[in-house]
Amino acid sequence: MEYAKTNRRGDLVFFSVEIARKHERGLALREDLNQSIKKDFRGFELFFQPFVNPGTNLIAGCECLLRWKGEKIKDSYPMEFIKVLEDYGGIREVGFWVMEQAIKQQVAWRDTYGELQVSFNVSYQQFMDEDFENRLISYVEKYGVNPSYMIIELTESCQVDKPQELASMFDRLRGRGFKVALDDFGTAYASLEMLKCLHVDYIKVEHSFVRELSEPGHDIDYVIIDNLLRMCRRLGYDSIVEGVENGKVADIVGEMDVTLLQGYYYSRPVCRNDFEKLLEEDKQQS
Ligand code: C2E
Ligand code: MG
Ligand code: MG
């Protein structure tokens, strides 16, 4: 009944073992996630994926991506456990934890590797939390980060029902010097309509337009990305193209008017140690 009410309202739905299994998995995840949160976020970790400057091929910063291993559940992907966290509200505490770790990390790297542009993900629900701004400011003060090196990415996980409130939140954050990015631009909820009401600093172009760019028959993807990037420039926005998986795609997109590139071609998201190795390699080169 619960499944029918939330997913198929108005439809006739028959019981299936698969639905029951999904439901049980959801409950188990919730329980295990809660345990992790209670135990001071044990099992949560940030991974880092580089943003690369297409002109120099050097790392300009990174996106912080959440990973989690529970006490019982060890095989959950972000798409799954973040959805569970969002559905029951656990994303609030975890989101503040991510925010703090990301800010702390930017500052920790500063002396050795210079100022890196560090981004973290925030869902609409988190932006609308009345404590969001206060927390952000308190961490800025605590760690002494320069907000202009922090990029806050709005993920496309849900529909924005109060665009005006979100727009004024973005304006306030940008007024304080933070950078704001629209993530996964071109997909479900991250659309042109959002561009009309929100002022941002970066647009992140979604994987799905990029991944197959180098394969025959993908001229449409080329036209879409090329023109999207031109549009960003005309609007005064910087851009990050995600999903660069091979050198061919990197060459094609690198020729376009793009600010930063991200994707498996440069590196998968990696743990802090491995990311620092990449930074070391860059340091030797430059
Ligand atoms: P996203 O913010 O769009 O992050 C990019 C995702 O694309 C990451 O998946 C990354 O591993 C993957 N990716 C990177 N390069 C490539 C590539 O070349 N090819 C392909 N196919 N994929 C690539 P991941 O880490 O599984 O994260 C999934 C989503 O979970 C993120 O998408 C973001 O929306 C959400 N997420 C991750 N961390 C957080 C967080 O701390 N808070 C919130 N609210 N959401 C988060
Ligand atoms: Mg993102
Ligand atoms: Mg993205």
Side-chain angles (χ1 to χ4, degrees):
M1 185 174 72
E2 215 175 288
Y3 173 85
K5 274 162 89 179
T6 42
N7 299 298
R8 309 266 300 272
R9 203 160 255 278
D11 267 2
L12 190 59
V13 181
F14 290 95
F15 173 84
S16 80
V17 176
E18 204 202 324
I19 293 175
R21 246 190 232 135
K22 253 196 187 149
H23 182 71
E24 269 165 29
R25 168 95 176 163
L27 290 179
L29 275 164
R30 189 169 160 163
E31 172 61 31
D32 216 3
L33 281 161
N34 245 331
Q35 286 301 322
S36 288
I37 296 171
K38 273 193 201 138
K39 292 182 179 154
D40 205 22
F41 303 97
R42 192 155 83 190
F44 287 103
E45 188 183 357
L46 286 190
F47 268 35
F48 308 94
Q49 188 178 32
F51 296 144
V52 173
N53 185 321
T56 60
N57 254 346
L58 294 173
I59 298 175
C62 65
E63 175 169 10
C64 300
L65 291 157
L66 188 60
R67 298 291 179 264
W68 171 73
K69 274 202 178 72
E71 256 164 35
K72 296 194 189 100
I73 299 173
K74 312 275 182 200
D75 64 346
S76 186
Y77 289 105
M79 292 299 237
E80 184 187 43
F81 72 77
I82 287 167
K83 174 87 176 52
V84 174
L85 285 171
E86 283 178 350
D87 285 350
Y88 87 91
I91 193 67
R92 182 170 191 272
E93 282 309 309
V94 176
F96 289 144
W97 181 83
V98 169
M99 178 195 275
E100 180 170 15
Q101 303 307 310
I103 289 176
K104 204 159 105 180
Q105 195 56 75
Q106 200 285 343
V107 176
W109 280 325
R110 193 161 57 191
D111 287 345
T112 325
Y113 305 108
E115 298 275 20
L116 294 170
Q117 207 75 57
V118 175
S119 85
F120 61 98
N121 293 282
V122 174
S123 57
Y124 173 59
Q125 188 188 341
Q126 295 173 262
F127 269 115
M128 290 295 102
D129 189 303
E130 52 183 29
D131 246 9
F132 181 81
E133 225 176 325
N134 290 338
R135 286 282 189 123
L136 200 52
I137 294 160
S138 74
Y139 295 140
V140 167
E141 284 168 2
K142 185 170 173 190
Y143 297 104
V145 77
N146 177 344
S148 65
Y149 293 106
M150 297 305 304
I151 306 175
I152 310 176
E153 300 189 9
L154 171 69
T155 66
E156 56 84 52
S157 56
C158 72
Q159 180 144 26
V160 171
D161 55 6
K162 291 179 187 153
Q164 275 322 313
E165 277 184 36
L166 188 63
S168 31
M169 168 66 93
F170 278 15
D171 290 345
R172 286 200 303 278
L173 294 174
R174 298 181 69 230
R176 290 184 183 277
F178 292 99
K179 299 277 195 288
V180 176
L182 267 190
D183 204 356
D184 303 326
F185 189 79
T187 55
Y189 297 116
S191 64
L192 289 171
E193 211 169 329
M194 299 271 278
L195 274 191
K196 264 178 74 173
C197 59
L198 301 173
H199 299 124
V200 298
D201 299 283
Y202 287 92
I203 302 285
K204 295 194 74 177
V205 179
E206 229 277 312
H207 301 158
S208 52
F209 299 118
V210 183
R211 269 203 316 255
E212 291 154 349
L213 202 56
S214 60
E215 289 165 28
H218 285 271
D219 305 351
I220 291 183
D221 290 335
Y222 183 93
V223 173
I224 292 176
I225 297 174
D226 189 44
N227 283 286
L228 206 57
L229 295 175
R230 284 173 204 266
M231 182 185 71
C232 286
R233 197 50 86 198
R234 286 189 67 177
L235 292 169
Y237 300 152
D238 282 317
S239 56
I240 301 176
V241 168
E242 303 181 76
V244 178
E245 290 186 352
N246 58 58
K248 267 191 192 161
V249 173
D251 288 343
I252 297 172
V253 183
E255 292 287 307
M256 298 176 184
D257 193 358
V258 62
T259 317
L260 295 169
L261 302 176
Q262 178 183 4
Y264 295 164
Y265 175 60
Y266 300 102
S267 165
R268 291 195 170 245
V270 290
C271 67
R272 200 191 68 217
N273 256 335
D274 289 350
F275 184 68
E276 287 174 359
K277 281 183 200 150
L278 297 176
L279 291 172
E280 283 297 335
E281 281 170 23
D282 265 21
K283 223 172 147 186
Q284 323 261 295
Q285 267 183 40
S286 57

